[in-house]
Amino acid sequence: MNKIRAALSGIHGWVPEYKLTNQELEKMVDTTDEWILARTGIKTRHILKGKEQGTSVIGTEAVKGLLEKTGTKPEEVDMLICATVTPDMLFPATANIISHNCGITNAFSFDMNAACSGLLYALVTASKFIESGTHKKVVVVGADKMSSIVDYTDRTTCIIFGDGGGAFLLEPTTEDVGIMDSIMHTNGSGMTHLHQKAGGSRKPPTHETIDAREHYVYQEGQAVFKFAVTNMADVAVAIMKKNGLGPDDISWLVPHQANMRIIDATARRMGIAKEQVMINIERYGNTTSGTLPLCVWEWENKLHKGDNIVLAAFGGGFTWGSIWLKWAYDPK
Ligand code: UT7
């Protein structure tokens, strides 16, 4: 019998309506549209407004849309993983809230925290449950409400991040499509350069931590940039080499959308043209776990069965990795 693989059989994305422009940021911090565009490639990012609106709002919209467009009944889903660094609450898992909101009652669900590589970690984990034959319909959500942990007085971070996300459906197939291979990495020493100082068990919230603005993203941009640009390109090239894939074999690169310069460097190292790279950073900024599904969602109608796609990401942790997959269906 042919090997069982995990096919990505559906994708749906969602972003909130409100658009935060570079022009608006110019009024909030000492920055310019020119600087932001030149250094990051970002023009706008979407922000989830309103009281008590957490990441589950994004995840719920994405999953509801996914179930509807794939004709999947909520009770058929047997597992749901939500990749996020901005859970609604420290517990319970945002995955459980999304499942509840969507009427998914026969699944076990949990969150995965691997920052900007979260979606890759979640896809790889989900694929193992499918490949083992124990699970048949798995939903993988990547969603973040980064505006909830961004300091809008810090010009070095507030220009980068946005809110949004998307959800994939994974199903078993014995055809030659689906998740073919992956390479995943972690290096915990990266914590120094990118983290949130307070709010966890090491430094629970106090008046002092709030006054010191320690509940926001802390990033040493240049240091992270150096790690990201090298490792994301290396791991994308590594998965090609490992599987004997040349630039001509690759239909699409789906890169994490952190910085246009990192995306360009990765494509250059892989030897592929810019036309083969999914890029929407200019409209959404860095939505952390949301960037990869938002790209695939927007490019879905251009994808054909058998297309070789490389997903690559680098993020806080440090975490990084790449997935080689063969797309499972033609445009509908
Ligand atoms: O997704 C998770 C992983 N994260 C990443 O991959 C992010 C990686 N890092 C980056 O993308 C870039 O480092 C940033 C976009 C965050 C910053 O770009 P950079 O080219 O590394 O700038 P820099 O930090 O070296 O700063 C250059 C200058 C500094 O001024 P001085 O010291 O040269 O006078 C900054 O203070 O630009 C200044 N600067 C700004 N100027 C205008 C920093 N932020 C801004 C700003 N507007 N928003």
Side-chain angles (χ1 to χ4, degrees), residues 20 52 88 129 149 206 225 235 242 259 261 265 276 284:
L20 176 60
E52 300 203 4
D88 278 28
F129 282 84
I149 55 166
T206 61
F225 186 92
V235 80
K242 188 179 166 201
N259 187 311
R261 290 178 286 149
Q276 292 165 267
Y284 301 133

Side-chain angles (χ1 to χ4, degrees), residues 96-169:
N96 302 357
I97 301 170
I98 296 169
S99 291
H100 176 69
N101 290 348
C102 297
I104 294 173
T105 49
N106 292 323
F108 85 106
S109 50
F110 57 92
D111 286 357
M112 189 153 278
N113 176 341
C116 298
S117 312
L119 198 278
L120 293 185
Y121 276 52
L123 278 181
V124 170
T125 304
S127 71
K128 304 301 173 194
F129 282 84
I130 299 263
E131 288 165 13
S132 74
T134 58
H135 289 70
K136 305 276 184 272
K137 284 188 192 287
V138 178
V139 172
V140 168
V141 188
D144 270 299
K145 183 189 174 185
M146 292 305 292
S147 62
S148 65
I149 55 166
V150 163
D151 182 352
Y152 286 97
T153 66
D154 174 10
R155 70 175 181 171
T156 67
T157 51
C158 73
I159 54 137
I160 300 171
F161 295 102
D163 304 339
F168 287 104
L169 182 64

Side-chain angles (χ1 to χ4, degrees), residues 30-32 35-36 39-40 116 155-156 159-161 194 219 221-222 224-225 228 256 258-259 261-262 286 314-316:
D30 180 16
T31 191
T32 60
W35 192 96
I36 301 172
R39 308 307 291 174
T40 70
C116 298
R155 70 175 181 171
T156 67
I159 54 137
I160 300 171
F161 295 102
L194 181 51
Q219 175 170 262
Q222 265 192 28
V224 178
F225 186 92
H256 172 52
N259 187 311
R261 290 178 286 149
I262 300 174
N286 182 350
F314 182 92

